[in-house]
Amino acid sequence: MGKILAKLGEALGTGWGWFIAAMTAVLTFIEPEKVSFLVVGGAVLGDLVWGITAAVKTNKFILSKALRETIKKVGIYSFALVGALAIEKITHTEGSFIAVRTIAVFAAVCEFWSMSASMLIVKPDMPFLKLLRGQLKGEIQSKVGKDINVDDILK
């Protein structure tokens, strides 16, 4: 037992040891709802990719802004999901964490909405997105700027 504690002390004596221990604790905490976290993370990553693609098509350089916004989104969504998970773990230890899943659904839908606007900028003749064209005009306007006519992009 003494050897195990000595080795543990050695591992936690370095920055990497503390980092690995902290990451292990976080991953163990979110493991029951890992799918929710993965879906939201994938949606944020997809929005980043489509946002950059739309910026390239409209000849805008927004990579640094896109990365800042992505980091903010990851922080906000993570805080909301982890907070809801912590509250739900207090109320019940087993079963479905409905609040976490509800927050994950709303976050993923918001990201899908943003992705849809970027997709419509990249490929304006896509039939599925044409259905949403009227509703996405405001979102597209926020992405391309007030000085550009959205109808010209959607032709």
Side-chain angles (χ1 to χ4, degrees):
M1 184 70 171
K3 268 184 147 180
I4 293 172
L5 291 176
K7 289 294 182 183
L8 183 62
E10 285 178 35
L12 294 177
T14 66
W16 280 110
W18 279 102
F19 175 76
I20 290 171
M23 291 307 297
T24 302
V26 168
L27 291 175
T28 302
F29 181 74
I30 67 170
E31 194 277 328
E33 282 299 319
K34 66 181 172 229
V35 172
S36 297
F37 284 86
L38 291 173
V39 166
V40 173
V44 170
L45 183 63
D47 185 40
L48 174 67
V49 169
W50 279 105
I52 291 172
T53 305
V56 168
K57 182 171 183 198
T58 58
N59 296 322
K60 284 191 162 198
F61 180 77
I62 61 161
L63 188 58
S64 62
K65 182 181 179 200
L67 289 176
R68 280 194 311 269
E69 291 300 314
T70 300
I71 290 169
K72 288 179 195 174
K73 287 179 189 180
V74 167
I76 292 167
Y77 292 149
S78 297
F79 183 78
L81 289 169
V82 168
L85 183 60
I87 291 168
E88 284 199 290
K89 280 192 174 198
I90 290 170
T91 59
H92 53 31
T93 55
E94 303 263 336
S96 178
F97 296 106
I98 194 70
V100 175
R101 291 179 182 179
T102 303
I103 291 169
V105 166
F106 281 118
V109 167
C110 289
E111 292 304 304
F112 174 72
W113 189 256
S114 179
M115 267 190 280
S116 296
S118 297
M119 289 175 193
L120 200 51
I121 292 169
V122 172
K123 184 118 174 75
D125 60 339
M126 186 171 203
F128 171 71
L129 296 174
K130 279 184 175 180
L131 297 172
L132 303 173
R133 183 177 283 185
Q135 288 77 23
L136 287 170
K137 275 191 177 183
E139 183 73 22
I140 294 169
Q141 193 75 55
S142 71
K143 292 181 180 296
V144 297
K146 304 273 186 224
D147 56 331
I148 297 175
N149 186 0
V150 174
D151 293 322
D152 291 340
I153 294 172
L154 299 178
K155 289 181 180 177

